[in-house]
Structure formats: C-alpha cells, structure tokens
Amino acid sequence: MEWNKLVPELLVANYPRSKDFYQNLFGFKLHFERAEDNFGYFDLDGAQVMLLQADASQHQALSRAGSGLHFQVEVAAITGVLERLMAASIELQAPVTEAWYRADDIEYGQREFFVADPDGYLFRFYEYIGERAVA
C-alpha cells in the first residue's frame, strides 16, 4: 500500500462502532490497527483515513472546530456504497446528483451524494462520469 502524503485522522466517540461503519457501509479496508489505543488506519482504493477514539471533551471540542469540512472520496461506482447505506437505513445528507465542475475550459463530471458518519463527519462519495468543454 502506498501511504498518502495527507491523511485525515478523525476523532470518534466510539471506535468499534466507527470501525464497523467504515468497513461494512463505506467499504474501507483496515490496513492496520492498534486496538489497545482504539486506533485504525483504513484504505478504500487509495483514499485513506485514520480513526481514533477520543474522550468526550476532546471529541466535542474538535468536532466543532472541523464543522464545515467534508471529505470527497472517489469510487469506481457509487452503487455499492449506496446499497449498503440503504440496507442499513442510513439517511443521505444530499441525494445522488450529477454535477459538473469547471477547471479552466474543461468541466469534469461526477455522480455524487453526501452522507454523514456516526460522528457527523460529512463524506461526498462520487464516481467519475467524464469531461466536456465548457459551454
């Protein structure tokens, strides 16, 4: 596995619950874990994240500090993640949409949706659908 140069470490209220959510619903694989520290390093096709259980005061203070932040994760197809979330009755924060984002004279397209993890961290999962010239 290649280590990314920037990997977010998310403080979570309950590591076992978050670990289960990230593995079974988001589809991340556990790369390594320090169970005695309630810490895990996860990977989803190159998208990497660390989870660390924090005490209640740390978690509350730091989750407020990161409000407004969301994580974008590219997957080959969003259907697998969506199916797992729906089967677990997890509500999406924003429905699946097709979005086109301009970079100079090219627009890049993606099908995307937003969902929150058990600690309220917001994720945008997307699949790439192509590019086109700016109209």
Side-chain angles (χ1 to χ4, degrees):
M1 180 177 102
E2 185 175 323
W3 300 91
N4 289 343
K5 293 184 184 280
L6 175 64
V7 179
E9 181 174 47
L10 306 179
L11 294 182
V12 299
N14 181 307
Y15 175 73
R17 177 187 69 185
S18 294
K19 175 184 174 184
D20 180 67
F21 192 94
Y22 277 72
Q23 288 183 294
N24 295 316
L25 299 178
F26 283 173
F28 279 81
K29 304 284 187 248
L30 179 64
H31 182 61
F32 71 88
E33 180 175 53
R34 290 191 303 273
E36 69 278 11
D37 295 327
N38 286 308
F39 171 87
Y41 195 108
F42 299 82
D43 181 89
L44 176 63
D45 298 328
Q48 298 172 358
V49 65
M50 298 178 285
L51 302 177
L52 174 64
Q53 182 171 311
D55 66 44
S57 62
Q58 285 177 311
H59 181 260
Q60 187 176 32
L62 290 171
S63 64
R64 275 196 312 271
S67 63
L69 173 72
H70 75 266
F71 301 96
Q72 177 171 278
V73 180
E74 181 180 7
V75 292
I78 61 174
T79 53
V81 179
L82 278 170
E83 289 170 357
R84 291 189 298 273
L85 293 168
M86 295 301 105
S89 300
I90 303 297
E91 184 178 337
L92 299 182
Q93 300 299 304
V96 175
T97 59
E98 182 177 301
W100 291 86
Y101 298 103
R102 186 181 64 79
D104 297 323
D105 59 349
I106 297 175
E107 289 182 322
Y108 296 91
Q110 56 193 54
R111 287 186 62 236
E112 63 185 29
F113 67 90
F114 286 85
V115 63
D117 79 354
D119 292 280
Y121 292 110
L122 193 59
F123 282 78
R124 175 197 337 221
F125 284 91
Y126 80 96
E127 64 186 34
Y128 176 76
I129 59 173
E131 57 188 65
R132 64 187 183 195
V134 173

